[in-house]
Amino acid sequence: MQIESNSVVTLHYILKDNNGNVIDQSDDGSFLYLHGAMNIIPGLENALTGKSAGDEISVTVSPEEGYGAKDPERIQEVPKEMFENSDEIAVGTQFHAQSPDGGAIVVTVTEVKDDVVVIDGNHALAGVDLNFDVKVIDVRLASEEEMAHGHVHGPHGHHH
């Protein structure tokens, strides 16, 4: 079976940056997604369309087809007094915050100054070329329930 919309796909993958550093990987058969439901980044999903179990691909996904370009407007200086325990804040600390449209976002502390904390609301991989080595392990048709819910369910079903 070829990968197409409403296919459940099992992958093994290694994700690297342009310097060859491993960012993420899954080689234990636990990475499954519903093709066509925007469960993975568009560039990788497009590259996998039409592939079958056993196929192996290497693909570089640009930021535009991945997590987007880095948006300077998502980087802000926030007064230290806005944080509880401001003396414990360190570079790399992450917080959940509310985006301007009311949604939840994760922000990362990128710098701590005397009076302000610099936070970045961009995805950690925004602006990064993503280099995937992928092996397609299995492809099957999604169940009616998986298609209705827009995601894969485990071997014993899924309970919401």
Side-chain angles (χ1 to χ4, degrees):
M1 175 177 182
Q2 289 187 326
I3 297 173
E4 59 186 38
S5 288
N6 296 320
S7 298
V8 172
V9 182
T10 305
L11 301 177
H12 288 178
Y13 71 89
I14 297 175
L15 170 59
K16 297 178 183 175
D17 64 17
N18 283 339
N19 296 322
N21 299 309
V22 175
I23 298 170
D24 192 19
Q25 67 183 43
S26 177
D27 59 3
D28 63 359
S30 66
F31 188 84
L32 290 82
Y33 78 96
L34 178 61
H35 197 81
M38 298 182 353
N39 293 162
I40 64 172
I41 58 172
L44 183 57
E45 187 168 70
N46 292 339
L48 288 166
T49 300
K51 303 296 185 249
S52 302
D55 286 350
E56 296 185 41
I57 64 167
S58 293
V59 60
T60 297
V61 177
S62 70
E64 294 74 23
E65 289 287 308
Y67 293 97
K70 199 155 190 95
D71 181 355
E73 291 188 19
R74 290 180 163 245
I75 301 170
Q76 300 178 6
E77 290 189 351
V78 179
K80 259 190 178 176
E81 66 257 13
M82 297 291 292
F83 296 90
E84 292 181 26
N85 305 324
S86 62
D87 37 330
E88 296 177 14
I89 295 173
V91 171
T93 303
Q94 293 187 319
F95 298 95
H96 291 276
Q98 189 171 6
S99 68
D101 64 2
I105 60 169
V106 174
V107 297
T108 304
V109 174
T110 58
E111 188 177 354
V112 179
K113 299 180 181 179
D114 289 337
D115 297 336
V116 297
V117 175
V118 181
I119 58 171
D120 186 346
N122 286 289
H123 187 281
L125 297 176
V128 176
D129 287 329
L130 305 172
N131 301 291
F132 287 92
D133 291 317
V134 179
K135 181 172 184 179
V136 179
I137 303 303
D138 187 48
V139 181
R140 67 170 172 81
L141 186 61
S143 70
E144 291 293 328
E145 184 180 39
E146 288 170 324
M147 286 186 271
H149 291 183
H151 58 257
V152 176
H153 293 172
H156 303 292
H158 181 75
H159 304 285
H160 288 274

